[in-house]
């Protein structure tokens, strides 16, 4: 409950009250949220359910909240990302900075709500609540030329997706006498035909946000034209909502459809993995490279979830966390480069390593993590996912395994062109990482190495929940077949 | 009932007293009358609140029949009281927010009050003649209202068009009454029609049924005309655009809600099981209104015309209350949706009125003028649009959710149409966001921003906060009733 109220109140306060101390308030609120979330880890590990709220909200909708391992891991991620954002941008003011920060806090409310909700309508409501602040962040603070078009397209895409999700939820609920509780909806059994339609509706909602392969067209332009602040919110935590939705809601709600749909999903996601990697390789805009590499990574996570194997799902969980941290750091690096060099074209850049040694080191670590080199956080997740996919279908595993090589190619290419050699786009004075930014980077690097060296610690948080979810799926499928 | 009398007498008084008085005085007077009427309605609601059971609103009519008081022509049920409170409050907002455009003195507020009387009768009729009277009392002032900008050609056109079309729909309605009368052993009282066997002395059973269905169809068409639903919507865009802003806000809220509530009573309670044969008309009309209203609104460049088309779409959504064919859940959904719709429409029309050009038009780009130094107004408009679009944590979402829920098990196809319509709706509502937040980036010099007084800011902020509060804690509204 504090996780919702604290950011909400702080967010409203700093939107309204433009006082120099608002930054400390925001930082404080984010830090307290992180502390509260981290404080729940021991209890979760010992198998307790921490928050267990079930209040009547409106007609049959319940305000039902619960924290389990998977929710905790994602809440933790969103708390870290919000805190990191505030730290990194502490000395870099946007226009109307207090409102921007306030919107970020409101988004945090939505994110925490989505991860904790155990009532489908609550889930939907918080899902939309995250969308409103990010829409205004992209529209108002975006830098591109046709930002109005891009942000409206982004909103319409995601909103249509979630409307289909709503239709599916309403249909499911009409089978359980309009109770939207998670447990009640899981208990609903559908015929195969019904469940295919319901699954497709849900998938549209989640898939647009992730984005899964044919639904990704909004992504690159939104990431590039949004302010970096917004791109980080979008890519580091918002798309995790979609992946979380697949694992926590889609699989247990409509297991009946999976005999039919699974092959198609697997193929779509593998296409997405390879296509994203290919696009990342062809582009020269740093932000686009990151956007497409992200497309490739998250499609891999979705693929792993669709295999329904517990090993792959564990890997997916690890990778969700890792991807959030890595992409945030990557966007920060882009921010610093763009700030000094006024360009993001990797061919116009060069020789940054000679002027900004700290940045070069940070970029190196983050890049290696993004390629999934052992001892960084990218490796364990990727390994487990590929293992799980391989057990399911060796050919797909080999194909998507290629993306690991691709990612090495495009990331190294980006690194080489920006950091080494000489700049072809004119000479500029490069500002290295500032102290407070270094603090933010330090958090990321610590997390990267910690999750790389001791992944089991992170895995322990959500392992039980994931296995539990997959068991439920297995049971329901057993009944059906 | 008391509030109806208060409003009617008050309006007459206003006409007499206001002959030489300024517009301001009569506006104040009308607001006073409305607040008295509103408080009496609320008092009436409070007095019944202990007995009020939202799950059994429809049964009240049943027990009314068994009381034997069938001869009465007007009966304020609990549901009527609740919806009258909404209608009076909506009119109050209209008169509070909208300054008159012409020097018409007391006439305009009085006209609005008379029309409200008609709308109140529509919520409480139990007799076809009363229904007819209600519709006429509501509509005739609206014709005057549409034409009240005497020197404006478009206003004249609106009045003429509305009047002619309205006259046709009246004729159709009367013909419907006649057919129903003929087919039901000669009754006009709706309870008796409901219980009539259809075995009239004059005509045989089969013929009687056919007549009855034809009668229902005609009645239904006339009511759909009043609600501005497709395919009887052709008057709506022109009339809404030509009327003065105050008139448009009134027309697109109060009469619309009143006629849809009247339809709910007529088709779900009074005609009961008999109406299945014409239900498809309401279903199609509802779906078509949503699609056509939203798609046409997408193409508009004039903000008022856009809102006019979007109000057609809103009629479509509100018709779900009838389509669901369950009185109680339908009524609650309509009640919530009407409140949300009236609140957000008032904000939008108020801002739109402030932004209008000298010729009375308002382009969507004009919304960029408010974005400077008007953060409260921008906030209010954002909330109003989000609520119109039905996005969570606003009252509009709660209304839409309730409406969708009434049909989600029976008309899944209509639900999908509604979702598609909502998605289209986003596109044009967000066009205004684009103008507000992005328009001023292009023309930062602008023609100067619009000034809002302190009181206006407070009122708009209050309305928008109400929308938010109802969206976050919807039980504020229904909790005390259930």
């Amino acid at each position: 409950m504090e996780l919702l109220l604290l950011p909400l109140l702080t967010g409203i306060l700093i939107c309204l009250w433009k006082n120099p101390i608002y930054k400390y308030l925001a930082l404080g609120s984010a830090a307290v949220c992180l502390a509260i979330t981290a404080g729940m880890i021991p209890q979760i590990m010992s198998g307790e359910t921490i928050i267990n709220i079930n209040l009547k909200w409106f007609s049959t909708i319940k305000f039902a909240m619960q924290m389990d391992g998977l929710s905790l891991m994602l809440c933790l991620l969103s708390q870290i990302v919000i805190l990191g954002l505030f730290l990194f941008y502490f000395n870099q003011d946007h226009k109307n900075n207090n409102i921007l920060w306030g919107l970020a806090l409101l988004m945090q409310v939505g994110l925490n709500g989505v991860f904790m909700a155990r009532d489908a309508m609550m889930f939907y409501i918080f899902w939309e609540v995250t969308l409103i602040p990010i829409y205004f962040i992209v529209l108002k603070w975006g830098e591109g030329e046709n930002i109005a078009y891009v942000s409206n397209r982004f909103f319409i895409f995601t909103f249509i997706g979630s409307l289909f999700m709503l239709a599916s939820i309403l249909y499911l609920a009409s089978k359980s006498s309009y109770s939207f509780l998670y447990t009640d909806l899981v208990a609903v059994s559908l015929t195969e035909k019904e469940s295919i339609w319901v699954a497709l509706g849900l998938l549209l909602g989640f898939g647009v946000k992730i984005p899964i392969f044919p639904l990704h067209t909004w992504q690159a332009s939104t990431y590039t034209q949004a302010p970096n602040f917004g791109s980080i919110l979008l890519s580091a935590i918002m798309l995790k909502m979609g992946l979380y939705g697949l694992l926590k809601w889609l699989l247990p709600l409509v297991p009946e459809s999976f005999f039919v749909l699974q092959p198609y999903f697997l193929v779509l996601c593998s296409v997405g993995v390879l296509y994203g990697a290919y696009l990342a390789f062809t582009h020269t805009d740093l932000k686009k490279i990151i956007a497409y590499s992200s497309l490739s990574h998250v499609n891999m996570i979705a693929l792993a979830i669709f295999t329904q194997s517990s090993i792959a799902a564990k890997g997916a969980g690890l990778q969700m966390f890792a991807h959030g941290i890595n992409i945030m750091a990557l966007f920060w690096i882009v921010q610093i480069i763009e700030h000094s060099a006024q360009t993001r074209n990797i061919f116009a850049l060069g020789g940054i390593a000679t002027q900004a040694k700290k940045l070069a080191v940070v970029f190196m670590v983050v890049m290696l993590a993004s390629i999934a080199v052992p001892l960084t956080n990218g490796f364990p997740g990727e390994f487990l996912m590929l293992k799980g996919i391989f057990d399911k279908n060796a050919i797909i595993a080999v194909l998507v395994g290629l993306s690991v090589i691709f990612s090495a190619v495009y990331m190294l290419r980006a690194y080489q062109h920006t950091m080494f050699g000489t700049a072809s786009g004119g000479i500029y004075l490069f500002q290295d990482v500032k102290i407070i930014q270094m603090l933010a980077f330090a958090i990321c690097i610590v997390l990267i190495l910690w999750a790389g060296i001791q992944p089991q610690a992170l895995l322990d948080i959500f392992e039980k929940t994931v296995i539990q979810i997959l068991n439920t799926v297995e049971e329901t499928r057993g009944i059906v077949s | 009932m008391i509030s109806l009398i208060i409003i009617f007498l008050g309006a007459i008084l206003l006409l007499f007293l206001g002959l030489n008085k300024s517009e301001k005085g009569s506006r104040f007077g009308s607001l006073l009358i409305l607040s008295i009427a509103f408080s009496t309605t609320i008092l009436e609601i409070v007095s019944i609140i202990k007995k009020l059971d939202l799950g059994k609103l429809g049964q009240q009519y049943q027990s009314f029949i068994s009381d034997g008081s069938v001869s009465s022509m007007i009966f304020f049920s609990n549901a009527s009281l609740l919806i009258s409170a909404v209608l009076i409050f909506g009119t109050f907002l209209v008169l509070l927010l909208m300054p008159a455009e012409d020097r018409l003195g007391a006439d305009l507020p009085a006209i609005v009050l008379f029309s409200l009387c008609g709308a109140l009768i529509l919520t409480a009729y139990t007799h076809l003649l009363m229904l007819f009277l209600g519709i006429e009392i509501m509509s005739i002032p609206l014709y005057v209202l549409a034409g009240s900008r005497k020197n404006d050609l478009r206003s004249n056109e609106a009045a003429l068009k509305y009047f002619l079309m309205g006259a046709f729909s009246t004729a159709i309605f009367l013909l419907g009454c006649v057919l129903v009368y003929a087919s039901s052993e000669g009754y006009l009282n709706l309870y008796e029609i409901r219980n009539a066997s259809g075995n009239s002395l004059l005509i045989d059973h089969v013929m009687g049924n056919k007549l009855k269905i034809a009668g229902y169809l005609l009645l239904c068409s006339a009511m759909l005309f009043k609600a501005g639903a497709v395919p009887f919507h052709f008057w709506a865009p022109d009339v809404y655009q030509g009327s003065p802003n105050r008139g448009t806000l009134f027309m697109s809220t109060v009469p619309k809600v009143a006629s849809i509530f009247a339809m709910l009573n007529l088709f779900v309670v009074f005609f009961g099981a008999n109406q299945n044969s014409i239900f498809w008309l309401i279903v199609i009309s509802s779906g078509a209104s949503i699609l056509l209203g939203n798609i046409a609104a997408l193409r508009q460049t004039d903000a008022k015309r856009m809102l006019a088309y979007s109000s057609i779409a809103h009629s479509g959504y509100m018709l779900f209350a009838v389509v669901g064919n369950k009185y109680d859940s339908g009524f609650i959904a309509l009640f919530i949706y009407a409140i949300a719709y009236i609140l957000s429409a008032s904000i939008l029309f108020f801002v739109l009125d402030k932004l209008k050009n000298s010729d009375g038009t308002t382009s969507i780009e004009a919304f960029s003028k408010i974005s400077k130094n008007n953060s409260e107004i921008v906030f209010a408009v954002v909330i109003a649009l989000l609520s119109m679009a039905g996005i969570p944590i606003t009252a509009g979402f709660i209304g839409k959710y309730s409406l969708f829920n009434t049909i989600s098990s029976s008309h899944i196809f209509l639900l999908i149409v509604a979702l598609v319509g909502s998605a289209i709706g986003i596109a044009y509502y967000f066009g205004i966001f684009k103008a507000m937040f992005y328009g001023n980036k292009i023309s930062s010099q602008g023609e100067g921003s619009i000034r809002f007084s302190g009181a206006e800011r407070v009122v708009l902020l209050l309305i928008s906060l109400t929308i938010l509060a109802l969206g976050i804690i919807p039980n504020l509204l229904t909790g005390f009733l259930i």
Side-chain angles (χ1 to χ4, degrees):
Chain A
M1 208 58 197
E2 304 86 23
L3 291 179
L4 299 177
L5 281 181
L6 185 65
L8 178 70
L9 295 178
T10 327
I12 293 173
L13 184 69
I14 71 174
C15 274
L16 297 178
W17 190 42
K18 195 170 182 175
N19 187 301
I21 65 158
Y22 76 86
K23 288 185 173 174
Y24 297 98
L25 276 178
L27 260 183
S29 145
V32 171
C33 281
L34 180 59
I36 293 173
T37 322
M40 292 174 181
I41 295 177
Q43 282 165 288
I44 287 287
M45 301 260 248
S46 64
E48 295 172 46
T49 42
I50 307 225
I51 302 170
N52 212 344
I53 305 172
N54 193 347
L55 302 170
K56 199 167 156 32
W57 187 64
F58 172 69
S59 79
T60 54
I61 308 174
K62 296 267 175 50
F63 185 80
M65 296 276 154
Q66 202 184 49
M67 188 71 106
D68 60 18
L70 190 62
S71 315
L72 182 71
M73 189 266 285
L74 287 160
C75 281
L76 204 59
L77 178 66
S78 56
Q79 262 62 293
I80 291 172
V81 170
I82 297 281
L83 182 67
L85 264 180
F86 288 161
L87 266 183
F88 184 84
Y89 284 95
F90 200 76
N91 287 328
Q92 277 180 297
D93 279 7
H94 295 81
K95 205 179 152 199
N96 290 329
N97 201 37
N98 60 327
I99 297 179
L100 179 65
W101 283 36
L103 287 177
L105 282 171
L106 293 182
M107 204 169 148
Q108 192 184 9
V109 179
L111 288 161
N112 286 336
V114 163
F115 294 137
M116 289 194 287
R118 287 298 175 272
D119 180 288
M121 279 315 284
M122 271 297 141
F123 178 78
Y124 173 79
I125 288 169
F126 280 116
W127 177 276
E128 296 295 359
V129 166
T130 59
L131 192 55
I132 300 164
I134 193 69
Y135 168 76
F136 285 111
I137 290 176
V138 175
L139 178 66
K140 187 96 171 105
W141 284 272
E143 291 128 2
E145 283 164 19
N146 48 354
I147 189 67
Y149 169 72
V150 167
S151 55
N152 272 7
R153 186 173 65 162
F154 156 66
F155 193 95
I156 291 169
F157 251 76
T158 41
F159 190 73
I160 292 179
S162 36
L163 280 178
F164 281 102
M165 182 170 97
L166 180 65
S168 289
I169 292 174
L170 283 177
Y171 187 77
L172 263 178
S174 71
K175 300 273 169 185
S176 68
S177 61
Y178 291 104
S179 163
F180 293 94
L181 283 180
Y182 181 74
T183 42
D184 291 346
L185 291 187
V186 170
V188 169
S189 66
L190 300 170
T191 64
E192 191 178 276
K193 200 177 161 200
E194 283 173 326
S195 81
I196 288 174
W197 286 109
V198 172
L200 286 177
L202 290 172
L203 190 76
L204 267 178
F206 300 139
V208 169
K209 201 143 269 187
I210 295 175
I212 284 176
F213 164 59
L215 307 170
H216 67 281
T217 49
W218 61 270
Q219 186 207 24
S221 57
T222 312
Y223 281 16
T224 28
Q225 304 219 358
N228 272 327
F229 194 94
S231 307
I232 293 171
L233 285 173
L234 274 171
S235 58
I237 31 182
M238 222 172 135
L239 62 82
K240 304 298 179 301
M241 290 176 5
L243 294 167
Y244 169 80
L246 287 186
L247 186 54
K248 178 84 190 177
W249 291 88
L250 180 72
L251 290 190
L253 290 194
V254 282
E256 299 91 348
S257 67
F258 261 71
F259 296 109
V260 184
L261 290 178
Q262 195 180 31
Y264 298 103
F265 289 169
L266 293 182
V267 169
L268 280 183
C269 289
S270 358
V271 172
V273 172
L274 294 173
Y275 183 64
Y278 169 73
L279 285 177
F281 182 68
T282 55
H283 278 275
T284 58
D285 181 340
L286 259 183
K287 259 180 139 178
K288 279 225 163 98
I289 294 177
I290 296 175
Y292 285 122
S293 86
S294 162
L295 178 66
S296 168
H297 282 139
V298 294
N299 269 282
M300 173 92 96
I301 302 177
L303 176 63
I305 292 172
F306 282 136
T307 60
Q308 294 184 317
S309 89
S310 62
I311 296 181
K314 283 181 212 166
L318 284 177
Q319 185 69 356
M320 277 190 228
F321 196 84
H323 178 262
I325 303 291
N326 296 347
I327 200 161
M328 173 165 74
L330 282 173
F331 273 118
W332 287 346
I333 291 163
V334 174
Q335 168 81 28
I336 291 176
I337 292 177
E338 199 185 357
H339 185 69
S340 290
Q342 304 300 331
T343 175
R344 297 191 301 250
N345 189 326
I346 56 169
F347 290 122
L349 292 162
I352 293 175
T354 56
Q355 294 189 44
K357 297 194 174 52
K358 283 185 258 174
L359 183 70
V361 174
V362 172
F363 195 1
M364 175 62 111
V365 176
V366 177
M367 177 201 66
L368 291 178
S370 169
I371 304 175
V373 170
L375 294 187
T376 62
N377 62 357
F379 176 72
E382 198 118 359
F383 173 74
L384 287 179
M385 290 197 298
L386 284 174
K387 167 86 170 59
I389 298 168
F390 189 84
D391 292 343
K392 184 85 193 168
N393 187 329
I395 299 171
I396 287 184
V398 171
L399 279 176
V400 297
L402 288 177
S403 78
V404 182
I405 303 172
F406 283 149
S407 79
V409 174
Y410 58 73
M411 287 313 288
L412 285 170
R413 168 170 161 270
Y415 189 76
Q416 186 189 7
H417 283 292
T418 50
M419 292 292 145
F420 301 133
T422 49
S424 55
I427 299 158
Y428 41 82
L429 195 62
F430 206 90
Q431 278 190 325
D432 205 349
V433 185
K434 299 196 188 85
I435 290 179
I436 194 132
Q437 294 174 335
M438 201 57 215
L439 187 63
F441 275 128
I443 295 175
C444 288
I445 290 174
V446 167
L447 285 169
I448 287 175
L449 294 177
W450 172 68
I453 294 169
Q454 209 195 358
Q456 190 61 38
L458 183 59
L459 195 56
D460 279 341
I461 299 180
F462 62 88
E463 197 177 11
K464 274 181 211 150
T465 319
V466 169
I467 291 174
Q468 202 183 350
I469 293 172
L470 290 173
N471 281 344
T472 332
V473 177
E474 210 52 48
E475 277 167 29
T476 341
R477 276 219 303 190
I479 296 166
V480 172
S481 60
Chain B
M1 193 69 188
I2 307 166
S3 44
L4 175 61
I5 296 169
I6 292 175
I7 293 171
F8 185 70
L9 290 181
I12 293 176
L13 205 65
L14 210 61
L15 275 183
F16 278 109
L17 292 179
L19 278 179
N20 299 312
K21 292 274 161 34
S22 65
E23 152 78 16
K24 211 171 178 181
S26 61
R27 197 165 139 215
F28 177 73
S30 59
L31 288 180
L32 191 70
I33 293 164
L34 284 173
S35 5
I36 296 170
F38 185 65
S39 25
T40 45
T41 319
I42 291 292
L43 277 180
E44 281 183 80
I45 292 176
V46 170
S47 70
I48 55 158
I49 207 157
K50 291 217 176 75
K51 292 175 277 174
L52 194 60
D53 186 350
L54 281 197
K56 286 181 186 149
L57 287 171
Q59 286 180 16
Q60 209 188 355
Y61 291 95
Q62 296 280 12
S63 56
F64 192 63
I65 302 171
S66 51
D67 282 352
S69 39
V70 208
S71 55
S72 139
M73 291 173 87
I74 196 161
F75 167 57
F76 275 87
S77 70
N78 295 343
S80 332
L81 278 179
L82 288 173
I83 210 91
S84 336
V86 175
L87 296 179
I88 297 173
F89 180 68
T91 317
F92 183 81
L93 276 184
V94 172
L95 288 173
L96 178 73
L97 289 174
M98 309 301 266
E101 298 180 8
D102 287 318
R103 301 278 150 264
L104 281 177
D107 296 3
L108 229 66
I111 285 171
V112 170
L113 291 188
F114 282 130
S115 180
L116 175 64
C117 287
L120 291 183
I121 294 173
L122 272 191
T123 65
Y125 67 90
T126 57
H127 195 280
L128 271 180
L129 270 185
M130 215 49 180
L131 174 60
F132 175 72
L133 279 180
I135 288 183
E136 286 311 295
I137 296 175
M138 184 178 81
S139 305
I140 292 170
L142 289 184
Y143 306 146
V144 183
L145 201 57
S148 65
R149 257 189 348 208
K150 280 177 288 191
N151 302 322
D152 185 352
L153 268 183
R154 248 174 311 158
S155 179
N156 296 346
E157 182 203 334
L160 188 65
K161 202 169 203 168
Y162 198 12
F163 177 67
L164 287 179
M165 299 263 217
F168 273 118
S169 98
T170 302
I172 288 172
F173 184 89
L174 280 177
L175 184 58
C177 285
V178 168
L179 293 184
V180 171
Y181 178 79
S183 69
S184 64
E185 305 171 34
Y187 290 122
L188 278 175
N189 189 307
L190 286 159
Y191 293 113
E192 285 162 337
I193 293 177
R194 184 190 153 123
N195 297 331
S197 58
N199 276 329
S200 135
L201 297 172
L202 301 172
I203 35 185
D204 65 288
H205 185 70
V206 179
M207 190 60 195
N209 252 344
K210 280 182 186 159
L211 274 187
K212 189 191 274 172
I213 289 168
Y216 286 175
L217 266 177
L218 293 179
L219 288 181
C220 182
S221 313
M223 306 284 282
L224 286 175
F225 173 87
K226 289 297 165 201
V230 175
F232 309 103
H233 67 285
F234 288 99
W235 58 277
D238 291 336
V239 172
Y240 286 175
Q241 196 185 15
S243 311
N245 285 336
R246 172 196 276 183
T248 313
L249 173 57
F250 183 74
M251 274 179 227
S252 62
T253 51
V254 174
K256 199 182 275 283
V257 173
S259 19
I260 290 174
F261 178 70
M263 281 184 81
L264 179 68
N265 270 352
L266 191 64
F267 289 102
V268 180
V269 176
F270 295 127
F271 292 164
N274 294 330
Q275 34 70 353
N276 284 335
S277 43
I278 59 144
F279 230 58
W280 53 268
L281 177 64
I282 305 176
V283 173
I284 291 174
S285 163
S286 158
S289 304
I290 291 169
L291 283 182
L292 190 136
N294 279 319
I295 291 171
L298 202 56
R299 313 284 308 166
Q300 305 304 320
T301 52
D302 184 278
K304 201 167 160 192
R305 207 170 167 82
M306 187 194 90
L307 286 177
Y309 275 110
S310 98
S311 88
I312 295 177
H314 285 289
S315 303
Y317 294 123
M318 284 192 256
L319 280 175
F320 283 5
V322 188
V323 172
N325 202 6
K326 279 176 242 136
Y327 190 79
D328 303 320
S329 60
F331 170 75
I332 296 169
L334 178 66
F335 179 66
I336 299 171
Y337 197 86
I339 292 176
Y341 175 62
I342 286 175
L343 289 175
S344 20
S346 338
I347 293 182
L348 289 180
F349 272 96
F350 175 74
V351 174
L352 188 129
D353 191 56
K354 278 276 182 183
L355 295 174
K356 68 170 184 278
N357 300 325
S358 48
D359 61 345
T361 58
T362 315
S363 69
I364 291 174
E365 279 75 38
F367 274 83
S368 66
K369 286 188 210 158
I370 58 167
S371 58
K372 269 188 213 152
N373 306 323
N374 283 317
S375 44
E376 300 92 346
I377 308 292
V378 170
F379 176 77
V381 173
V382 166
I383 297 295
L385 286 170
L386 290 179
S387 173
M388 281 270 194
I391 292 184
I393 70 161
T394 59
F397 169 73
I398 302 293
K400 263 203 181 124
Y401 161 78
S402 319
L403 284 173
F404 287 4
N405 228 351
T406 54
I407 59 152
S408 66
S409 53
S410 52
H411 296 80
I412 191 84
F413 186 70
L414 192 56
L415 178 69
I416 290 171
V417 168
L419 291 174
V420 171
S422 305
I424 303 170
I426 296 287
Y428 60 84
Y429 290 128
F430 279 43
I432 296 186
F433 287 158
K434 186 169 143 189
M436 278 199 309
F437 293 104
Y438 191 66
N440 62 339
K441 280 190 191 169
I442 306 167
S443 59
S444 48
Q445 59 275 25
E447 306 101 286
S449 53
I450 305 289
R451 297 216 155 274
F452 289 87
S453 74
E456 289 167 341
R457 282 165 199 265
V458 170
V459 170
L460 285 206
L461 201 60
L462 273 181
I463 300 177
S464 57
L465 287 179
T466 316
I467 296 177
L468 261 187
L470 292 181
I472 296 172
I473 319 170
N475 279 354
L476 280 183
L477 201 60
T478 52
F480 75 96
L481 297 173
I482 293 170

